[in-house]
Amino acid sequence: MIELTQSLAMQSAPLEPSDGVGIAQQLCQTLEDDIVTGKLPPGQRLEEPLLAKRFGVSRTPVREALQLLTASELAEKIPNKGVYVSLATPERLTAMFESMAELEGMCGRLAAKRMTSGERHNLDKLHHELAETVRLGDSDGYETLNRAFHNTLYRGTHNDVLVDVTLSVRRRVAPFRRVQFTSLARLASSHAEHQGIVDAILRGDVSAAEQLLYDHIMAVHDISQDYLVSLREASPANDMPAFK
């Protein structure tokens, strides 16, 4: 089991006392950000006393925040064990990535059809900026620009409902999706995949854009499955909770 140690000891300014729900929502947002950015990795236990100490609050809003977090599926409560950052089963992880791939593929198809000339220019510009982070081996910079790259694609659909749904699913897979950024070789492969996507969108090839984005996400799925296996192998037998 991955214990809660340094990650939850990170310095945080005490929250101003207001109504309990408001504080709980603030706590939930902070924990969501920590999970998505990898500060709290999949499988890590979220302990109420440590969280209360970190944020300078009582355990009541912490408990409420964890309930909100489990509702978002970024964490899961295991009976008689506690609350953990979600560590999906291989089957669940595949289901999430398949959904993400279908949504991104749809975004690519609509973006290739609907992006304005200015939006296409911005996408191409981000792609060239990403190339520089690959050259420098700057994984943090690549991750930040990669998020902007995909967000630009989403906005290019000119479909707010699709954007909202895609961002919601991306948030669920983010703790696993970001694993790829630890490998410089994967950064280069990711950027090469982006090249095909950009080319397809710039020439308005809706079918190619859709397929290339689907394949791009499923390539990350394979890396994430390997990461999931490594997490389980690194933990003592029967000590890692299996989430559905």
Side-chain angles (χ1 to χ4, degrees):
M1 185 182 300
I2 301 175
E3 293 297 336
L4 212 60
T5 54
Q6 188 175 6
S7 293
L8 286 188
M10 294 179 292
Q11 293 296 319
S12 295
L15 297 176
E16 292 296 327
S18 58
D19 66 284
V21 174
I23 293 177
Q25 289 173 338
Q26 292 177 58
L27 290 172
C28 181
Q29 181 62 60
T30 299
L31 292 173
E32 284 183 353
D33 290 343
D34 287 348
I35 291 169
V36 170
T37 58
K39 294 178 182 177
L40 294 174
Q44 185 159 316
R45 187 178 180 185
L46 302 173
E47 298 186 63
E48 288 182 16
L50 291 180
L51 287 169
K53 181 177 180 180
R54 171 187 170 186
F55 292 109
V57 298
S58 69
R59 292 176 64 172
T60 298
V62 170
R63 191 173 301 115
E64 293 172 354
L66 293 180
Q67 290 173 350
L68 292 172
L69 201 63
T70 56
S72 72
E73 295 192 23
L74 285 176
E76 183 158 342
K77 185 175 182 179
I78 306 300
N80 303 317
K81 287 182 178 290
V83 178
Y84 295 79
V85 177
S86 289
L87 181 64
T89 62
E91 295 78 14
R92 178 65 171 174
L93 191 64
T94 294
M96 289 193 296
F97 269 95
E98 284 178 344
S99 299
M100 187 77 250
E102 292 288 354
L103 287 166
E104 291 239 4
M106 190 184 305
C107 286
R109 174 166 54 83
L110 292 179
K113 182 188 300 183
R114 298 177 177 176
M115 265 187 160
T116 65
S117 58
E119 289 170 333
R120 293 170 195 268
H121 172 76
N122 288 338
L123 185 70
D124 192 43
K125 181 173 179 290
L126 280 168
H127 178 59
H128 284 88
E129 291 174 356
L130 279 161
E132 181 64 10
T133 64
V134 174
R135 187 185 71 80
L136 295 174
D138 180 5
S139 58
D140 289 339
Y142 189 93
E143 181 179 359
T144 299
L145 286 173
N146 181 69
R147 191 179 306 116
F149 179 89
H150 285 271
N151 285 344
T152 299
L153 274 172
Y154 304 160
R155 289 193 299 270
T157 66
H158 296 270
N159 184 321
D160 291 342
V161 175
L162 177 59
V163 172
D164 288 344
V165 173
T166 303
L167 288 173
S168 175
V169 176
R170 186 177 77 175
R171 196 162 186 82
R172 294 185 184 184
V173 302
F176 294 95
R177 188 170 177 173
R178 72 183 307 276
V179 172
Q180 64 180 313
F181 303 120
T182 62
S183 168
L184 295 182
R186 173 55 196 162
L187 295 190
S189 297
S190 175
H191 189 259
E193 292 162 14
H194 281 183
Q195 182 67 66
I197 293 165
V198 170
D199 289 345
I201 289 176
L202 292 182
R203 68 176 183 265
D205 190 336
V206 296
S207 297
E210 182 173 23
Q211 186 62 53
L212 288 168
L213 268 161
Y214 182 93
D215 294 344
H216 178 59
I217 298 304
M218 292 310 292
V220 183
H221 161 264
D222 296 341
I223 296 170
S224 299
Q225 285 287 11
D226 291 341
Y227 174 64
L228 183 61
V229 170
S230 70
L231 282 179
R232 294 188 180 283
E233 289 179 346
S235 300
N238 302 319
D239 202 25
M240 178 68 76
F243 301 167
K244 297 181 181 179

